[in-house]
Amino acid sequence: MLTRLKAKSERKLAKQICKVVLDHFEKQYSKELGDAWNTVRDVLISPACWQYAVLLNRFNYSFELEKNLHLKGYHTLSHGSLPYHPKSMQCYLSRTPDRMPSERHQIGNLKKYYLLNAASLLPVLALELRDGEKVLDLCAAPGGKSVALLQCADPGYLHCNEYDGLRFRWLKQTLESFIPQPLVDVIKVSELDGRDLGDAQPGTFDKVLVDAPCSNDRSWLFSSDSQKAACRISQRRNLPVLQIELLRPSSLLLEDYVDQSGNHLGPPCGPPWWSPFLCWERTIFSSYF
């Protein structure tokens, strides 16, 4: 099955693959991954083999949709496989490469599901969001993680921020497509530089999610503009600096935690079973940077 789908993808998309990007990947990742690069490369250039998860929207639940997913062989992301997985968040995976069609944005109508890579849910689950908490999604576009957060709990306040203008509009449309009107009052959408928020809003949030900008290799591999792709390859060298500049101030955004006796404990951190790189506190920043 995998071989057949890969061959079909290669015939269809061979002309669309950007040679400049693929050559760069060959040079970089063959050194970093060794023999494993051949397998990674096969999947990377074969979109039919990419796996998409279906995150159901609890604000517009469809029994028929869930029934059809079962009939197609989809299965739920097991609640027992992760330490924190609220029952309100329903995510379906296919055992074979498959992709549901995307729903179109219609003003006034909520979408029934969101397509995403299931791995994208891990940082969301790492936050262990509880009802009433104040949470910031610092680099929120296109909005999938913000939507996922709202499947987990009912926050007291959700701030979704995106600095890029085009992606900011995409974020707003995503939220409009998935979030009912009553929840709009607890959601703020902003177009601010995340590097400045730590000083502008210190101690504001219980939890902060930072999905820092990444190289987005997969999409650039299919770029139709070789010149822009070459420019992007050059720019990606600066990404680690930007990522650190976004991560460092995010600890300042966390609300200082005080126990019942009035003892100052500093900002809360993530549960011990998650990597400290997902939920930050000041001591973690001083240790790693």
Side-chain angles (χ1 to χ4, degrees), residues 119-130:
S120 299
L121 295 176
L122 292 178
V124 172
L125 296 173
L127 286 182
E128 291 195 349
L129 185 63
R130 309 294 180 187

Side-chain angles (χ1 to χ4, degrees), residues 58 72 77 134 215 220 238 257:
R58 69 185 176 110
K72 286 187 172 187
L77 185 65
K134 295 168 290 185
S215 59
W220 280 101
N238 300 321
Y257 185 79

